[in-house]
Amino acid sequence: MLEVTDLRVAYGQIEAVKGVSFRVPEGSIVTLVGANGAGKTTTLAAISGLLRPRAGAITFDGRELTRLGTHTITRLGVVQVPEGRDILATMTILENLELGAYGRRDRDAVRRDIARMLERFPILGQRRGLAAGSLSGGEQQMLAIARGLMARPKVFLLDEPSMGLAPQLVREVFRIVAELRAEGQTILLVEQNARKALAISDYAYVMESGRITLEGRGADLLTNDAMVSAYLGGIVIDAPPVVDPGPT
Amino acid sequence: MPDINWSQQLLNGLFAGSAYALFAVGYTLIFGVLDILNLAHQAIYMLGAFCALVLVTGNVAGLGPLPGGMQLPFWLATLLAMLVAGLLGILLDRLAFAPLRKRPDTHFSGMISSIAVALIFEALATWLFLPQRSQFPAGTIRPGAVTLGQGALSYSRVLVIVAALVLVVLLTVLLRFTKLGKAIRAVAENPKAARLLGINVEAIYSFSFFLSSALGGAAGIFYGLAVSRLDPTMGRSVELKGLAVIILGGMGSVPGAVLGGYLLGLTEVLSVALTNTSNYRDAIAFVLLFLILVLRPSGLLGARRVREA
Ligand SMILES: Nc1ncnc2c1ncn2[C@@H]1O[C@H](COP(=O)(O)OP(=O)(O)O)[C@@H](O)[C@H]1O
Ligand SMILES: [Mg+2]
């Protein structure tokens, strides 16, 4: 349903995404993995219309997105939770959730969805009236995901949701992503935490300096030699991970 | 020590403070949302006042009577003039700010181009309304005064206080509780996040200019009526005070602008009363501003808005 074809994106003269193509079929989790600076965030920014691509096509349900404004793309159902979360720190948790549904007109359903989010993420429920800036990093990530879900995304773009979180919160984030997938949510996940991401992905692409260098089913990549040596720390896959790659 | 009529001073201070606050809320709103200083806010203030005058008298000084010779009641003229001021605000944004929005120096360049638009608006007003002083006709509102103890304040000045209260409350309710108000605050805090949430940020910018300018126009109308004085440069005298008020309150903070407005108004009135001359009024007011900023560099209520970079 989301298809990116030969995408090129540049910052001034410097091309950060150099002809990238991939597909996110309905109901699946597709992951972009790759080292810092590979061009993953830039790719997502182009999909959401935050950056204008230099060349290439981005189609969603057969519709070309590259000329549309970000707010229109979000309202079409391509919803991004950006790297760094971008929660509205001075606004309350409830207000953040309400704004997640900004493009929706079905007020009653919005109210029900808010109640459901506060239940699903109990930490948010307890603090709904507080400024979102008072939450911890992990709680802010939960809020960012819940806020994104308030838009009822058709494709949910998640940019490094586990970044900067303590190990048990990383697990919590991946548990939620896996849960969403079980509910049938279509997801494009960007992660540096390749091992955990691949484990829950239907299909994955490996990005390296602006290009896709490897692709395959998530389970296959987990045992791929090149993948293991470059991104999985050379650890045999069924041994317990020694350390979480985690944030730097 | 002069014999001071305290209730009169209080009324005067409330009047001046209300005038400053009403000018400043719109001024600070644009700074809060776009991080820019709109130096044409004072020109919109002036045009709003003249627009209401034209609708009340049915006459444009430099051109003659309007066709049809319609003369509207003051309240209706005020609402229409606020609407016109708001639309002028949108035009101002399109002319002075929108074309510069993506430039890295947009804060500075926008300030300069807003000065240019202010000069154009002043020239237009000078041509349409002539450079001399104009005033609302006697009887525009009921003559008379409210008394408080030993003090008295004319209805037209009381109207400034009431208008400021009503409009500030309406603005606060809009920003706090409505969907549109929440979108404005979201854009003010983080435009990229707002875009990703599905908010049309450019439309919010336009609406913020509309709101700010309608309030600025109202400030000009009510103040012009209260002091019986409208002229094409009337905005200049309030501009610097308005800037002081929004810095004092904390740039971008609406409650800060209200607090700053009343603080400046009361300080001015008090300094005149105590020194028995208005010679030191501005000096005292600005020394106070300076002292407060030494203690609180981001203004009274501006904790979150210390500019990053
Ligand atoms: N705003 C920017 N201006 C210039 N270069 C940028 C900007 N953002 C990212 N880059 C560069 O583009 C490349 C890709 O960055 P990014 O998409 O953030 O990678 P990733 O998300 O995979 O870590 C990097 O080399 C980075 O330095
Ligand atoms: Mg990134």
Side-chain angles (χ1 to χ4, degrees):
Chain A
M1 67 172 358
L2 180 69
E3 183 152 15
V4 172
T5 315
D6 201 23
L7 182 72
R8 289 168 185 276
V9 192
Y11 296 101
Q13 294 301 308
I14 302 154
E15 201 163 61
V17 174
K18 305 165 181 164
V20 158
S21 303
F22 60 89
R23 287 165 22 84
V24 184
E26 183 152 9
S28 62
I29 293 201
V30 171
T31 299
L32 288 179
V33 292
N36 208 354
K40 306 179 299 293
T41 296
T42 307
T43 303
L44 290 197
I47 294 172
S48 286
L50 293 167
L51 292 173
R52 287 266 163 269
R54 172 180 277 187
I58 301 167
T59 54
F60 170 65
D61 277 347
R63 197 166 164 176
E64 179 60 47
L65 300 185
T66 39
R67 302 238 171 290
L68 302 179
T70 299
H71 63 279
T72 313
I73 292 170
T74 295
R75 288 174 188 211
L76 285 174
V78 180
V79 177
Q80 181 177 166
V81 176
E83 188 176 75
R85 307 166 190 121
D86 278 350
I87 56 137
L88 298 162
T90 63
M91 301 180 72
T92 67
I93 285 149
L94 211 51
E95 286 171 336
N96 271 272
L97 293 175
E98 285 166 2
L99 284 167
Y102 186 79
R104 288 172 58 182
R105 295 276 169 271
D106 47 346
R107 283 164 154 253
D108 292 337
V110 167
R111 213 167 303 130
R112 280 197 299 277
D113 281 1
I114 289 181
R116 204 171 304 146
M117 291 305 158
L118 295 179
E119 222 167 274
R120 178 167 201 164
F121 302 95
I123 193 74
L124 303 181
Q126 290 155 23
R127 312 206 185 154
R128 67 191 79 181
L130 296 184
S134 69
L135 297 176
S136 73
E139 292 160 357
Q140 292 191 7
Q141 186 61 59
M142 301 304 161
L143 176 60
I145 292 173
R147 186 179 67 178
L149 289 172
M150 286 302 301
R152 293 206 170 162
K154 292 186 180 139
V155 181
F156 203 20
L157 315 180
L158 295 167
D159 195 348
E160 306 222 22
S162 74
M163 185 170 66
L165 301 186
Q168 89 264 18
L169 286 166
V170 172
R171 273 195 293 282
E172 173 71 2
V173 165
F174 278 100
R175 189 187 62 72
I176 288 161
V177 175
E179 210 173 276
L180 291 173
R181 174 217 201 185
E183 290 164 14
Q185 175 73 60
T186 309
I187 295 175
L188 174 58
L189 175 66
V190 162
E191 260 303 330
Q192 278 192 61
N193 195 332
R195 180 183 303 279
K196 281 201 157 64
L198 291 177
I200 59 165
S201 301
D202 296 299
Y203 203 83
Y205 297 84
V206 179
M207 256 185 114
E208 230 170 279
S209 16
R211 293 196 174 82
I212 284 172
T213 52
L214 197 62
E215 63 174 272
R217 299 195 316 127
D220 294 346
L221 286 185
L222 271 175
T223 53
N224 178 296
D225 287 346
M227 189 68 200
V228 170
S229 62
Y231 294 100
L232 302 174
I235 305 161
V236 182
I237 194 60
D238 49 10
V242 182
V243 242
D244 253 312
T248 41
Chain B
M1 193 83 171
D3 190 13
I4 295 172
N5 177 345
W6 288 107
S7 45
Q8 185 62 54
Q9 300 311 329
L10 177 67
L11 288 172
N12 292 347
L14 285 177
F15 162 66
S18 298
Y20 292 144
L22 197 48
F23 178 86
V25 285
Y27 205 8
T28 209
L29 179 68
I30 290 300
F31 188 87
V33 174
L34 287 114
D35 272 2
I36 52 174
L37 211 47
N38 171 18
L39 293 179
H41 193 65
Q42 59 94 354
I44 300 267
Y45 166 94
M46 175 273 297
L47 285 179
F50 272 108
C51 182
L53 179 69
V54 166
L55 293 171
V56 165
T57 60
N59 187 46
V60 178
L63 300 178
L66 292 180
M70 64 162 187
Q71 297 178 349
L72 300 179
F74 177 72
W75 66 269
L76 185 56
T78 298
L79 287 178
L80 285 175
M82 283 174 68
L83 182 70
V84 171
L87 295 175
L88 281 171
I90 294 177
L91 178 72
L92 162 71
D93 175 45
R94 292 287 112 200
L95 284 176
F97 295 109
L100 303 170
R101 204 103 76 204
K102 296 223 163 66
R103 287 169 51 138
D105 63 352
T106 177
H107 304 297
F108 197 65
S109 56
M111 216 158 89
I112 304 295
S113 66
S114 68
I115 294 177
V117 172
L119 292 172
I120 293 168
F121 282 173
E122 279 178 25
L124 191 72
T126 308
W127 170 61
L128 285 174
F129 310 114
L130 310 179
Q132 74 267 24
R133 162 182 172 172
S134 316
Q135 63 188 63
F136 282 94
T140 298
I141 66 160
R142 205 147 61 90
V146 165
T147 55
L148 175 78
Q150 303 285 305
L153 202 65
S154 70
Y155 282 149
S156 63
R157 294 189 176 212
V158 172
L159 189 58
V160 171
I161 300 175
V162 173
L165 274 175
V166 169
L167 290 173
V168 164
V169 167
L170 285 178
L171 176 67
T172 304
V173 168
L174 174 88
L175 290 176
R176 287 262 136 248
F177 302 116
T178 70
K179 185 171 177 179
L180 188 59
K182 288 169 193 171
I184 292 174
R185 286 190 283 139
V187 170
E189 181 173 334
N190 185 338
K192 177 193 147 206
R195 282 201 169 87
L196 286 173
L197 291 172
I199 296 170
N200 182 343
V201 170
E202 277 299 318
I204 294 293
Y205 287 158
S206 284
F207 183 74
S208 303
F209 267 98
F210 178 86
L211 207 55
S212 158
S213 299
L215 291 166
I221 296 164
F222 290 113
Y223 189 73
L225 175 70
V227 301
S228 291
R229 178 179 197 114
L230 277 65
D231 70 73
T233 58
M234 66 187 270
R236 292 189 178 184
S237 55
V238 73
E239 180 169 39
L240 192 59
K241 300 278 181 66
L243 185 59
V245 164
I246 68 177
I247 294 173
L248 187 60
M251 301 285 283
S253 163
V254 168
V258 175
L259 189 63
Y262 285 105
L263 203 60
L264 182 67
L266 289 166
T267 307
E268 282 186 357
V269 166
L270 210 62
S271 71
V272 174
L274 290 173
T275 61
N276 218 3
T277 154
S278 63
N279 293 348
Y280 309 115
R281 185 183 60 190
D282 292 352
I284 291 173
F286 279 86
V287 165
L288 173 85
L289 170 76
F290 176 77
L291 289 178
I292 288 177
L293 288 179
V294 167
L295 296 173
R296 284 190 64 89
S298 54
L300 292 168
L301 302 180
R304 74 180 175 86
R305 278 218 156 258
V306 186
R307 287 280 287 279
E308 328 85 312

